[in-house]
Amino acid sequence: ISARALGLGLPLFVKPANLGSSVGISKVKTEADLAPAVELALEFDRKVVVEAGVAEAREIECAVLGNDDPEASVAGEIIPSREFYDYEAKYTPGSTQYFFPARLSPEVDARVCRDAEKAYRSLGCAGAARVDFIVAADGTPFILEVNTLPGMTGTSLVPKIAAGKGISFP
Protein backbone atom coordinates (compact mmCIF):
# COMPACT_ATOMS: atom_id res chain seq x y z
CA ILE A 1 0.00 0.00 0.00
CA SER A 2 1.26 3.47 -0.82
CA ALA A 3 -0.07 7.01 -0.75
CA ARG A 4 0.52 7.22 -4.50
CA ALA A 5 -1.53 4.03 -5.10
CA LEU A 6 -4.34 5.63 -3.09
CA GLY A 7 -4.09 8.79 -5.20
CA LEU A 8 -2.97 10.82 -2.20
CA GLY A 9 0.08 12.84 -1.36
CA LEU A 10 1.77 13.17 1.99
CA PRO A 11 1.08 13.96 4.72
CA LEU A 12 -2.12 12.04 5.25
CA PHE A 13 -4.13 10.78 8.20
CA VAL A 14 -5.15 7.20 8.92
CA LYS A 15 -7.91 6.49 11.41
CA PRO A 16 -10.41 3.85 12.48
CA ALA A 17 -13.72 4.48 10.70
CA ASN A 18 -15.98 4.10 13.73
CA LEU A 19 -14.17 5.42 16.75
CA GLY A 20 -13.89 8.76 18.48
CA SER A 21 -11.56 10.86 20.61
CA SER A 22 -8.74 10.47 18.06
CA VAL A 23 -7.98 6.96 19.32
CA GLY A 24 -5.94 5.04 16.75
CA ILE A 25 -5.27 8.05 14.50
CA SER A 26 -1.86 8.54 12.91
CA LYS A 27 -0.39 11.36 10.90
CA VAL A 28 1.62 9.76 8.11
CA LYS A 29 4.55 11.81 6.80
CA THR A 30 6.50 9.12 4.93
CA GLU A 31 5.58 6.08 2.84
CA ALA A 32 7.25 3.87 5.45
CA ASP A 33 4.80 5.13 8.11
CA LEU A 34 1.67 4.20 6.14
CA ALA A 35 1.50 0.42 6.75
CA PRO A 36 2.09 0.72 10.54
CA ALA A 37 -0.58 3.45 10.70
CA VAL A 38 -3.08 1.19 8.94
CA GLU A 39 -2.18 -1.68 11.29
CA LEU A 40 -2.74 0.57 14.31
CA ALA A 41 -6.14 1.72 13.03
CA LEU A 42 -7.13 -1.90 12.37
CA GLU A 43 -6.56 -2.67 16.05
CA PHE A 44 -9.63 -0.52 16.76
CA ASP A 45 -11.91 -1.15 13.77
CA ARG A 46 -12.20 -3.42 10.77
CA LYS A 47 -12.63 -0.35 8.52
CA VAL A 48 -9.99 2.32 8.07
CA VAL A 49 -10.26 5.85 6.70
CA VAL A 50 -7.30 7.42 4.90
CA GLU A 51 -7.57 11.18 4.44
CA ALA A 52 -5.39 13.63 2.58
CA GLY A 53 -3.65 16.12 4.82
CA VAL A 54 -4.18 19.83 4.18
CA ALA A 55 -1.09 22.00 4.42
CA GLU A 56 -1.22 24.96 6.79
CA ALA A 57 -4.73 24.05 7.89
CA ARG A 58 -6.63 25.21 10.92
CA GLU A 59 -8.97 22.98 12.91
CA ILE A 60 -12.42 24.48 13.29
CA GLU A 61 -15.46 23.00 14.98
CA CYS A 62 -19.07 24.08 14.96
CA ALA A 63 -21.87 22.83 17.19
CA VAL A 64 -25.31 22.52 15.64
CA LEU A 65 -28.25 22.44 18.01
CA GLY A 66 -31.92 21.73 17.41
CA ASN A 67 -34.37 19.39 15.77
CA ASP A 68 -36.73 20.73 13.08
CA ASP A 69 -34.99 24.08 12.78
CA PRO A 70 -31.35 23.46 13.76
CA GLU A 71 -28.97 26.35 14.21
CA ALA A 72 -25.18 26.43 14.11
CA SER A 73 -23.30 28.01 16.96
CA VAL A 74 -20.35 30.26 16.40
CA ALA A 75 -17.37 28.37 15.06
CA GLY A 76 -14.55 27.56 17.47
CA GLU A 77 -10.87 27.17 16.66
CA ILE A 78 -8.52 24.61 18.15
CA ILE A 79 -4.79 25.13 18.56
CA PRO A 80 -3.39 21.85 19.93
CA SER A 81 -0.14 21.72 21.86
CA ARG A 82 0.82 18.66 19.83
CA GLU A 83 1.27 18.10 16.10
CA PHE A 84 -2.44 17.44 15.66
CA TYR A 85 -5.52 17.29 17.88
CA ASP A 86 -4.90 13.80 19.26
CA TYR A 87 -6.28 12.07 22.37
CA GLU A 88 -3.74 13.67 24.70
CA ALA A 89 -4.38 17.17 23.33
CA LYS A 90 -8.14 16.65 23.71
CA TYR A 91 -8.22 15.34 27.26
CA THR A 92 -5.31 16.98 29.06
CA PRO A 93 -6.71 20.18 30.56
CA GLY A 94 -4.71 23.22 29.53
CA SER A 95 -2.82 21.49 26.71
CA THR A 96 -4.89 23.01 23.90
CA GLN A 97 -5.94 26.58 23.19
CA TYR A 98 -9.52 27.28 22.10
CA PHE A 99 -10.76 30.44 20.45
CA PHE A 100 -14.48 31.24 20.51
CA PRO A 101 -15.30 32.66 18.12
CA ALA A 102 -12.76 31.20 15.72
CA ARG A 103 -10.31 33.64 14.19
CA LEU A 104 -11.87 33.45 10.72
CA SER A 105 -12.95 36.09 8.26
CA PRO A 106 -16.70 36.78 8.39
CA GLU A 107 -17.08 35.11 4.98
CA VAL A 108 -15.30 31.88 5.99
CA ASP A 109 -17.10 31.80 9.34
CA ALA A 110 -20.48 32.10 7.59
CA ARG A 111 -19.57 29.32 5.16
CA VAL A 112 -18.45 27.01 7.98
CA CYS A 113 -21.73 27.59 9.84
CA ARG A 114 -23.81 27.07 6.66
CA ASP A 115 -21.91 23.88 5.80
CA ALA A 116 -22.31 22.59 9.37
CA GLU A 117 -26.08 23.14 9.27
CA LYS A 118 -26.30 21.57 5.81
CA ALA A 119 -24.39 18.46 6.93
CA TYR A 120 -26.55 18.20 10.07
CA ARG A 121 -29.79 18.39 8.08
CA SER A 122 -28.51 16.07 5.34
CA LEU A 123 -27.73 13.37 7.88
CA GLY A 124 -31.04 13.79 9.73
CA CYS A 125 -29.37 14.76 13.00
CA ALA A 126 -31.34 15.91 16.03
CA GLY A 127 -30.51 17.35 19.44
CA ALA A 128 -26.86 18.32 19.12
CA ALA A 129 -23.91 17.40 16.95
CA ARG A 130 -20.45 18.78 16.35
CA VAL A 131 -19.16 19.26 12.83
CA ASP A 132 -15.38 19.21 12.53
CA PHE A 133 -13.59 21.07 9.76
CA ILE A 134 -10.13 21.70 8.45
CA VAL A 135 -9.86 25.16 6.90
CA ALA A 136 -7.09 25.52 4.35
CA ALA A 137 -4.87 28.59 4.19
CA ASP A 138 -6.97 29.94 1.29
CA GLY A 139 -10.11 29.78 3.49
CA THR A 140 -11.62 26.66 1.94
CA PRO A 141 -13.37 24.57 4.61
CA PHE A 142 -13.35 20.77 4.42
CA ILE A 143 -15.68 18.71 6.62
CA LEU A 144 -13.76 16.03 8.49
CA GLU A 145 -16.69 14.44 10.25
CA VAL A 146 -20.01 14.95 11.97
CA ASN A 147 -20.00 13.82 15.59
CA THR A 148 -23.57 12.80 16.37
CA LEU A 149 -22.66 11.86 19.94
CA PRO A 150 -20.29 14.67 20.87
CA GLY A 151 -18.52 14.67 24.20
CA MET A 152 -20.03 16.62 27.06
CA THR A 153 -17.11 16.61 29.52
CA GLY A 154 -15.35 19.61 31.02
CA THR A 155 -12.86 19.58 28.14
CA SER A 156 -15.42 18.80 25.41
CA LEU A 157 -16.15 21.31 22.71
CA VAL A 158 -19.94 21.34 22.27
CA PRO A 159 -20.48 22.88 25.72
CA LYS A 160 -17.69 25.38 25.03
CA ILE A 161 -19.01 26.26 21.58
CA ALA A 162 -22.62 26.51 22.80
CA ALA A 163 -21.47 28.85 25.59
CA GLY A 164 -20.50 31.25 22.80
CA LYS A 165 -24.24 31.51 22.06
CA GLY A 166 -25.13 31.85 25.74
CA ILE A 167 -26.28 28.22 26.11
CA SER A 168 -25.10 26.49 29.28
CA PHE A 169 -24.93 22.78 30.06
CA PRO A 170 -25.44 22.48 33.84
Side-chain angles (χ1 to χ4, degrees):
I1 185 169
S2 71
R4 174 179 258 169
L6 296 171
L8 300 171
L10 295 170
L12 51 83
F13 288 86
V14 177
K15 61 185 178 180
N18 297 296
L19 199 60
S21 296
S22 297
V23 173
I25 294 182
S26 301
K27 182 175 183 179
V28 175
K29 297 183 209 173
T30 69
E31 288 288 344
D33 294 335
L34 182 55
V38 170
E39 289 174 20
L40 174 64
L42 286 170
E43 290 179 21
F44 298 98
D45 197 338
R46 62 186 180 91
K47 295 180 182 178
V48 173
V49 175
V50 179
E51 296 176 337
V54 177
E56 299 181 39
R58 297 160 66 188
E59 185 145 355
I60 305 295
E61 302 195 345
C62 186
V64 182
L65 308 170
N67 296 323
D68 296 328
D69 191 24
E71 183 179 344
S73 68
V74 297
E77 182 173 0
I78 300 161
I79 309 290
S81 60
R82 300 171 58 83
E83 188 170 8
F84 67 97
Y85 196 44
D86 65 3
Y87 185 89
E88 188 174 321
K90 287 180 181 183
Y91 295 108
T92 304
S95 69
T96 296
Q97 292 181 312
Y98 302 96
F99 292 91
F100 301 101
R103 300 169 302 169
L104 299 171
S105 71
E107 297 79 22
V108 173
D109 182 69
R111 181 169 174 195
V112 164
C113 291
R114 274 194 317 271
D115 288 355
E117 288 177 2
K118 186 175 181 179
Y120 187 92
R121 284 188 181 98
S122 295
L123 294 171
C125 296
R130 192 187 72 238
V131 183
D132 299 345
F133 293 83
I134 288 293
V135 176
D138 68 359
T140 303
F142 297 94
I143 294 176
L144 291 175
E145 61 189 350
V146 178
N147 292 279
T148 57
L149 293 171
M152 294 292 188
T153 70
T155 59
S156 296
L157 294 168
V158 167
K160 290 180 183 203
I161 294 170
K165 288 192 81 78
I167 300 169
S168 65
F169 287 84

